[in-house]
C-alpha cells in the first residue's frame, strides 16, 4: 500500500467543507500521510450587484467600505482559525498536518499549490450545481477536477442522499467501494490506484462494468449530423448482445483475478447494460455505495460542455464520494548528449 502521501484538503467555513474534511480523515488519510489544509480567504473589495447573485455565483465576500483594513484583519483571523481547527483535528488523530491561507480564487490556488507541493490526492467538497452555473460560472470542484494533475476526491454533501445512506456511517468498518472498470488503460490505472490507495481488506469491493450493447435501433452512417437510423435484425442483435456480455464478464474476471493474485482484497463483479452514467448512478444508489473510483480521459472544454462525460456526470450527481484517479502525464526524459550526437551523424 502507498504510504507517506501528501493529501491536500481544500476547506472553507461551510458544512459541505466540514463534511468533506471529516470524510477524508476517516476514509482516505493514513497515519503515515501528511495532510495539507488550504483555504482561500476572499478579497474584501470584491462585490456583486446583489446579495442573491453573490450567494449563487460567488465565494463568500465582504463588501468594501471605509473600514477595509479591519475587515481584512477579520477575514485573515477567520481563515487562520479555520486552519487551526483542522490541524487540531489531525493532531487528535495523530496525523501530520500543515495549513495554508491564500488570497484569491480557490480553484486556481488549489491546483497550483497541489502541483507545487507535489500532492498525491486533492479532496474538495461540493454541493453539486445546476447546468447554467457549471457552464457559465464554473465551480471550484469542477475546476479542480478538470485541471488537477493528480487524483481528485469530490465529496458531495446533499441532504437527500445522506438521508438514504451516509458514507460516514461506514467509516472504520466494512465499506462498499465501487470501482468502475472497462478495457481502457485509464480504468486499469484507476483500479490499481484504488487497491493501493483506498480499498482495505475489510471492504466489499465491487467492480462495476457497463456494457454498451447494440440496441434495436442505433445511430450511425451519414444522415443529418453524421447519423442515420439503422435497423439491426433480431437474430443479429441477440448474438451481438450475448457476445458483448460474455466479453464484459471476461473483462471483469481479469480484474478480479489480478486483485486475488496481487492483494488480499476480495472483489466481486457486476455487469449491466445501458447508458454508462445512468447505470453507474443507478448502481451506486441501489448498492448504497460508500465511494466510487473511476479513471478519466482528458477531454477538451468544448467536449465537456456539449457532450459531458461519465466523470462530469458523477461529479455532480453521485450519491457517494467520487474519486477520479487521473493518470500522471508521462514526461519525456531529456535527450542525452550521446543520443543527440548520434542523430546528427545519421
Amino acid at each position: 500500500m502507498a504510504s507517506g502521501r501528501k493529501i491536500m484538503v481544500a476547506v472553507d467555513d461551510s458544512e459541505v467543507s466540514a463534511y468533506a474534511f471529516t470524510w477524508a480523515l476517516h476514509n482516505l488519510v493514513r497515519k503515515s500521510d501528511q495532510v495539507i489544509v488550504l483555504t482561500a480567504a476572499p478579497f474584501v473589495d470584491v462585490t456583486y450587484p446583489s446579495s442573491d447573485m453573490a450567494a449563487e455565483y460567488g465565494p463568500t465576500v465582504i463588501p468594501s467600505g471605509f473600514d477595509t483594513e479591519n475587515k481584512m484583519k477579520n477575514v485573515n483571523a477567520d481563515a487562520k482559525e479555520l486552519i487551526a481547527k483542522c490541524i487540531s483535528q489531525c493532531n487528535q488523530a495523530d496525523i501530520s498536518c500543515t495549513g495554508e491561507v491564500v488570497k484569491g480564487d480557490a480553484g486556481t490556488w488549489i491546483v497550483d499549490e497541489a502541483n507545487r507541493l507535489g500532492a498525491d490526492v486533492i479532496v474538495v467538497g461540493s454541493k453539486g450545481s445546476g447546468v447554467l452555473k457549471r457552464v457559465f460560472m464554473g465551480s471550484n470542484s469542477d475546476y479542480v477536477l478538470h485541471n488537477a494533475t493528480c487524483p481528485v476526491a469530490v465529496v458531495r454533501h446533499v441532504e437527500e442522499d445522506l438521508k438514504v445512506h451516509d458514507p460516514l456511517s461506514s467509516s472504520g468498518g466494512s465499506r462498499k467501494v465501487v470501482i468502475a472498470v472497462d478495457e481502457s488503460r485509464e480504468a486499469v490505472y484507476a483500479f490499481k490506484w484504488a487497491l493501493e490507495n483506498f480499498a482495505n481488506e475489510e471492504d466489499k469491493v465491487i467492480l462495476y462494468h457497463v456494457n454498451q450493447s447494440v440496441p434495436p435501433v442505433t445511430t450511425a452512417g451519414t444522415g443529418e449530423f453524421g447519423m442515420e437510423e439503422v435497423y439491426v435484425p433480431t437474430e443479429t442483435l441477440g448474438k451481438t448482445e450475448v457476445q458483448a456480455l460474455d466479453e464484459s464478464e471476461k473483462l471483469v474476471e481479469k480484474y478480479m483475478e489480478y486483485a486475488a493474485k496481487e492483494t488480499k482484497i476480495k472483489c466481486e463483479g457486476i455487469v449491466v447494460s445501458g447508458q454508462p452514467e445512468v447505470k453507474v448512478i443507478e448502481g451506486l444508489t441501489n448498492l448504497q455505495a460508500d465511494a466510487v473510483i473511476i479513471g478519466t480521459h482528458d477531454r477538451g472544454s468544448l467536449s465537456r460542455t456539449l457532450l459531458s462525460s461519465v466523470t462530469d456526470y458523477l461529479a455532480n450527481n453521485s450519491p457517494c464520494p467520487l474519486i477520479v484517479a487521473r493518470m500522471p502525464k508521462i514526461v519525456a526524459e531529456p535527450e542525452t548528449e550521446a543520443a543527440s550526437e548520434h542523430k546528427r551523424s545519421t
Side-chain angles (χ1 to χ4, degrees):
M1 287 188 175
S3 62
R5 304 169 301 174
K6 293 182 179 179
I7 298 179
M8 176 173 284
V9 186
V11 299
D12 58 26
D13 59 357
S14 69
E15 185 179 2
V16 173
S17 172
Y19 183 88
F21 182 75
T22 302
W23 179 88
L25 288 187
H26 288 84
N27 289 273
L28 180 62
V29 178
R30 295 168 179 163
K31 296 289 185 181
S32 58
D33 294 334
Q34 178 186 354
V35 175
I36 304 162
V37 183
L38 183 145
T39 188
F43 289 117
V44 298
D45 59 347
V46 178
T47 58
Y48 289 87
S50 70
S51 58
D52 290 340
M53 183 175 289
E56 178 65 19
Y57 295 117
T60 303
V61 297
I62 297 177
S64 58
F66 296 106
D67 201 15
T68 301
E69 185 177 349
N70 287 334
K71 289 170 183 172
M72 178 67 81
K73 289 180 179 178
N74 290 337
V75 169
N76 290 337
D78 290 344
K80 290 178 181 178
E81 183 180 347
L82 175 62
I83 292 294
K85 188 182 297 184
C86 293
I87 292 177
S88 176
Q89 281 186 252
C90 288
N91 289 340
Q92 290 176 17
D94 196 24
I95 295 170
S96 173
C97 181
T98 58
E100 186 174 353
V101 177
V102 297
K103 282 283 170 54
D105 177 70
T108 54
W109 267 112
I110 293 167
V111 172
D112 290 346
E113 285 299 277
N115 289 337
R116 184 180 71 84
L117 297 171
D120 296 289
V121 189
I122 299 173
V123 181
V124 291
S126 174
K127 288 182 179 179
S129 54
V131 174
L132 284 178
K133 184 174 180 182
R134 290 202 305 273
V135 173
F136 296 110
M137 301 302 295
S139 70
N140 291 327
S141 58
D142 282 343
Y143 182 87
V144 173
L145 184 62
H146 294 140
N147 292 278
T149 57
C150 65
V152 176
V154 179
V155 185
R156 296 178 70 242
H157 185 276
V158 180
E159 292 295 338
E160 291 75 10
D161 292 335
L162 295 178
K163 289 177 182 177
V164 176
H165 176 67
D166 185 350
L168 281 180
S169 65
S170 302
S171 300
S174 178
R175 304 170 299 177
K176 290 183 181 178
V177 178
V178 174
I179 307 176
V181 297
D182 59 24
E183 67 281 356
S184 69
R185 64 174 187 166
E186 289 86 357
V188 172
Y189 176 82
F191 166 71
K192 292 182 177 180
W193 185 93
L195 294 184
E196 185 176 359
N197 290 276
F198 190 78
N200 300 316
E201 293 179 23
E202 299 81 11
D203 295 333
K204 179 179 182 180
V205 177
I206 301 152
L207 306 179
Y208 198 88
H209 175 72
V210 181
N211 167 50
Q212 301 179 65
S213 56
V214 183
V217 176
T218 187
T219 55
T222 58
E224 187 177 11
F225 303 112
M227 299 181 290
E228 65 180 5
E229 292 186 351
V230 177
Y231 175 71
V232 180
T234 305
E235 60 273 14
T236 304
L237 172 66
K239 183 179 179 181
T240 303
E241 285 185 335
V242 170
Q243 289 177 337
L245 285 171
D246 183 57
E247 291 174 359
S248 293
E249 289 173 359
K250 289 180 179 178
L251 174 69
V252 172
E253 287 173 0
K254 286 183 180 179
Y255 278 102
M256 293 172 64
E257 289 171 2
Y258 177 91
K261 181 180 178 181
E262 301 294 333
T263 74
K264 294 181 179 181
I265 298 172
K266 296 180 180 179
C267 300
E268 63 181 64
I270 294 179
V271 175
V272 297
S273 296
Q275 187 177 351
E277 52 265 45
V278 174
K279 285 298 179 180
V280 172
I281 292 292
E282 183 181 288
L284 295 175
T285 302
N286 292 338
L287 290 167
Q288 293 193 357
D290 295 297
V292 56
I293 297 94
I294 187 171
T296 184
H297 302 270
D298 285 327
R299 307 177 66 179
S301 58
L302 180 63
S303 178
R304 289 200 303 269
T305 301
L306 299 179
L307 300 177
S308 186
S309 68
V310 176
T311 303
D312 286 341
Y313 191 83
L314 287 176
N316 290 283
N317 296 280
S318 174
C320 64
L322 163 72
I323 301 176
V324 180
R326 178 176 280 104
M327 291 181 62
K329 292 183 178 180
I330 300 175
V331 180
E333 294 184 2
E335 193 172 52
T336 63
E337 186 176 343
S340 298
E341 182 62 32
H342 173 73
K343 282 187 177 181
R344 286 195 293 270
S345 63
T346 56

